[in-house]
Amino acid sequence: MRLFKLGLIGLVVGYVAAACSGTAPTSTSPASAAVQTTSAPGQAAVEQSITVFAAASLTAALTEIGEQFQQQNPGVRVDFNFAASQQLRIQLEQGAVADVFASANTQEMKRA
């Protein structure tokens, strides 16, 4: 189980890094809609946000990873929604938008 969680965390970090590699979204798909790019005249700063829906059991690990990622990537904010995997899946089915869904079990991941 620990190996599964480590692999899942690695997957999330990889996805977050890939999602932040561009400076602006290139499509209007639900996944890219959560990445907000803003810049005021004369400002070079770009702010992006990545929304992660993750199982409550991953709170400590993903919060730490998110903080490290934000420190290494100024202008990028990682927003978390931690809850039970089933609750998160239902939120997604009802129209919630997330860039990453990290379920605690494969059953909910398959259903999503």
Side-chain angles (χ1 to χ4, degrees):
M1 182 63 145
R2 181 182 167 125
L3 184 59
F4 173 76
K5 284 185 180 181
L6 290 175
L8 179 62
I9 291 168
L11 179 65
V12 169
V13 170
Y15 180 82
V16 170
C20 289
S21 64
T23 58
T26 57
S27 72
T28 57
S29 70
S32 65
V35 178
Q36 302 289 321
T37 303
T38 58
S39 61
Q43 279 188 333
V46 174
E47 183 178 320
Q48 296 178 333
S49 66
I50 297 171
T51 303
V52 178
F53 279 29
S57 61
L58 301 173
T59 300
L62 289 183
T63 299
E64 182 178 335
I65 290 169
E67 289 170 359
Q68 291 174 2
F69 183 84
Q70 289 176 127
Q71 288 175 356
Q72 295 171 0
N73 297 278
V76 179
R77 185 181 74 242
V78 181
D79 297 317
F80 290 102
N81 178 14
F82 293 108
S85 297
Q86 182 180 11
Q87 291 173 332
L88 295 170
R89 178 187 52 81
I90 291 169
Q91 289 177 23
L92 292 168
E93 289 174 350
Q94 294 177 348
V97 177
D99 296 298
V100 178
F101 172 47
S103 175
N105 61 62
T106 56
Q107 180 180 358
E108 295 305 327
M109 187 63 78
K110 287 177 183 178
R111 288 180 178 173

